[in-house]
Amino acid sequence: VSLRPSRSAVESAARRLSSELGDDRVLYADPDLLARYGSDYSFAGSFPPDIVVRAGSTKDVQTTFAVANALGVPVTPRGLGSGKSGGALPIHGGIVMSLERMTELSQIDRDDLLVVTQPGVVTADLMSRVEAEGLFYPPDPNSLKLCSIGGNVACNAGGPRALKYGVTRNYVLGMEVVIPSGEVLRLGRRTIKGVTGYDLTSLMVGSEGTLGVITEITLRLVPLPQAVETALVSFASPIAATVAIGAVFKRGIVPRTLEFLDTFALEAVRARTPGRFPENAGALLILETDASSQAHAMAELERAAEVCTEHGALDVLLAQDEVQRERIWEPRRVLSMTLADTAPKKMSEDIVVPRSRIPAMLEQVQQISTRRKIRVATYGHAGDGNLHVNVLFDEASADRAERTVQDVMRATVELGGTISGEHGVGLTKREFISFEQDSPLIELQKRLKRTFDPNGILNPGKIFPLGGPSE
Ligand SMILES: Cc1cc2nc3c(=O)[nH]c(=O)nc-3n(C[C@H](O)[C@H](O)[C@H](O)COP(=O)(O)OP(=O)(O)OC[C@H]3O[C@@H](n4cnc5c(N)ncnc54)[C@H](O)[C@@H]3O)c2cc1C
């Protein structure tokens, strides 16, 4: 099904947008520039838009919607394009609404512990700005230097520290959002508590750019922990590592991160950075604790490490300083790209299962990989059950790879899990949503989408299977 706008609609839209917003804000008719806005980290293909609007203000977003509605041209919001499920891909052409220029961080409030920001601020920059004030914004997607805070809110991003601190949703107090009619809504509040009206802030968090464009965000902050301690724990096998994860929690310890790398992931890291990680390990955990003092953080880390040793850990390496910490974390942060270099094609899933089912899920993945004869590497935020299952393949095995992903999705749901923990459904997982949600629930969400976007111009073709509200 194609919703591609006609050539004349595109030309009229480009003329009107250029005259109302200025040439500097509108990219049109330059294939190289447009192509830069047509792909993301989902590797789902290249879909160059017809027009890019680099919005500088809420007003620009309103103007774009007015033109798009009048001419029936789709609009796809885009942060920095680090998404892994194709949510920012303009699959039906039309306008990409880039928020990359809305980078003002207008307020860090030390009394009320909050920050007010535009959506285009790079997440890592926001973190360091608030940390300079002794405050802490915990959600830390591993893409923190590549993604925008608006994209994080739109996808409800998580990250390693979600284990102790929760995900983006837990920090969003309020936001300004422009819905496709051009109306500007101020959702939520600046207070921690507040239950007035429906919780539309929560609805907007994780709506993947399908209900509105987020133009300002108010985020809750917490005091910056004074000490962080990190350890690298090696195990003979992935199953041994995941059993130890369960034991750590049973002992009443909640680390700030508990990241997992299976044998294939570890092999890829070893090939890229030889000598960095123990040669005898078949799986790794990155264990990290934080606290208001170094003594507390270290005591907690030692307790967790002890549990791992009791459960078969081969070795525990404690990072002695910031340089050693970074040597542990850097390969983890770029693991997705490292794996992408090991095969012509890769599909990266982000399933979640209840923590107690992680060993069963890993066994399922192993069996599926053997049955389909497809290489699969698994790593991720295993402390909260969130596993990145990476399916590695080439052109000749593309069919088997698709089936591998389907099998993994079904096994996840059967084990009581969910098909996406943080990347969103977007384009790549839209056919799987019905594995997890019944049709009345899917239909209700489509009706909600129509309420926000009656003309179906905002990010069509995402989240719901083909035949969705805007197809
Ligand atoms: C190496 C790597 C590691 C990653 N690690 C993690 C991780 O640990 N945890 C995690 O959660 N994700 C991770 N991701 C995925 C990705 O970084 C996140 O989904 C991120 O939140 C996307 O932000 P972005 O600015 O790049 O958004 P984009 O990719 O540009 O867009 C993503 C979605 O958000 C929508 N959107 C963007 N901005 C707005 C806005 N202002 N208003 C409305 N809709 C908007 C888009 O339409 C799209 O649907 C990783 C990606 C990579 C490449």
Side-chain angles (χ1 to χ4, degrees), residues 40 75-79 83-89 150-157 169 175 202-214 350 419-430 433 437 445 449 458-464:
D40 65 4
V75 176
T76 304
R78 181 181 176 96
K84 286 186 152 190
S85 62
L89 300 179
N152 291 173
V153 173
C155 295
N156 190 18
R169 161 165 291 125
M175 66 174 78
S202 278
L203 175 63
M204 211 48 78
V205 177
S207 62
E208 303 186 42
T210 62
L211 299 179
V213 172
I214 300 159
D350 71 316
I419 62 170
S420 179
E422 48 182 31
H423 296 162
V425 177
L427 172 66
T428 58
K429 288 192 273 285
R430 65 182 181 180
I433 190 171
Q437 298 188 345
Q445 291 173 88
K449 161 78 172 153
L458 182 59
N459 211 349
K462 304 295 168 59
I463 301 183
F464 305 106

Side-chain angles (χ1 to χ4, degrees), residues 188-189 193-201:
R189 52 197 65 84
K193 288 183 174 173
V195 291
T196 314
Y198 293 139
D199 187 356
L200 294 187
T201 313

Side-chain angles (χ1 to χ4, degrees), residues 40-41 76-89 97 99 119-120 123 140-144 146-160 168 177 207-210 212-215 217 332-337 350 379 381 386 388 421-424 426 459 462:
D40 65 4
Y41 279 85
T76 304
R78 181 181 176 96
L80 293 178
S82 72
K84 286 186 152 190
S85 62
L89 300 179
M97 166 94 67
L99 284 310
T123 307
D140 60 339
N142 278 307
S143 50
L144 49 91
L146 309 172
C147 63
S148 69
I149 192 69
N152 291 173
V153 173
C155 295
N156 190 18
T168 304
V177 59
S207 62
E208 303 186 42
T210 62
V213 172
I214 300 159
T215 46
I217 306 153
R332 166 64 189 90
R333 271 191 218 109
V334 298
L335 186 48
S336 176
M337 271 93 116
D350 71 316
Y379 65 91
H381 321 299
N386 188 192
H388 295 309
E422 48 182 31
H423 296 162
N459 211 349
K462 304 295 168 59

